[in-house]
Amino acid sequence: MNLLLAQCTPQRETLPLEQLAEWLAQVPAWRADPEHKLIARRFAFENFYQVMAFVNAVAEIAHAQDHHPEMHVGYSACTLSYTTHAAGGLTANDFICAAQADALPEAFP
Ligand SMILES: C[C@H](O)[C@H](O)[C@H]1CNC2=NC(N)=NC(=O)C2=N1
C-alpha cells in the first residue's frame, strides 16, 4: 500500500507484528509505545505561528481521512500521536495519517 496516497477505511482489528514492522520502517521518525498501542512523533518549529499552521494542516488530513490524532501543542513544537480507538491499537489508518503528516513542511526536520 502507498501510505501517502491511501484513504483510511473503518478498521476494527489491530495489525499483525510483521505488518507493523514494515510500516514503522516507512515512517522512521515515528515511535511505537512498548505495547504497540500508538505511534508518536515530535515536530519542531521556529515559533507558534508555524506550529499552528502545522496543526491546521494536520486537522485537514484528519477531516479528509476521518481519522484523528492526539495533539500536544507547544510554543515551538507539536507532538502527534495516532491510535485507532475502534481497534484498541494500531491499524493501517494510523500509518496512513503518519505518512501524510510526514509530508508536511517542518522547520527542523
Ligand atoms: C465513524 C468514524 O470513522 C469513526 O468514528 C472514526 C473517527 N476518527 C477516529 N480516529 C481515531 N484515531 N480512531 C478511531 O477509531 C476513529 N474512528
Side-chain angles (χ1 to χ4, degrees):
M1 185 194 304
N2 182 332
L3 294 171
L4 267 182
L5 298 179
Q7 177 69 45
C8 292
T9 53
Q11 302 285 340
R12 303 204 149 267
E13 303 280 320
T14 55
L15 293 171
L17 272 182
E18 202 169 284
Q19 185 63 74
L20 201 66
E22 184 190 324
W23 281 337
L24 269 173
Q26 289 188 37
V27 291
W30 292 74
R31 295 284 172 270
D33 69 315
E35 295 181 323
H36 299 144
K37 295 278 189 204
L38 63 85
I39 50 173
R41 177 183 169 186
R42 183 175 186 272
F43 294 79
F45 298 96
E46 285 164 0
N47 55 52
F48 197 62
Y49 290 101
Q50 290 183 1
V51 171
M52 289 312 297
F54 176 78
V55 165
N56 281 301
V58 170
E60 291 300 324
I61 294 172
H63 291 315
Q65 294 288 356
D66 194 21
H67 194 66
H68 304 89
E70 300 291 315
M71 295 197 238
H72 183 267
V73 178
Y75 165 69
S76 61
C78 174
T79 299
L80 297 183
S81 67
Y82 285 103
T83 185
T84 302
H85 305 120
L90 289 167
T91 69
N93 293 349
D94 303 306
F95 288 92
I96 291 167
C97 290
Q100 296 186 3
D102 272 350
L104 297 173
E106 187 194 10
F108 304 109

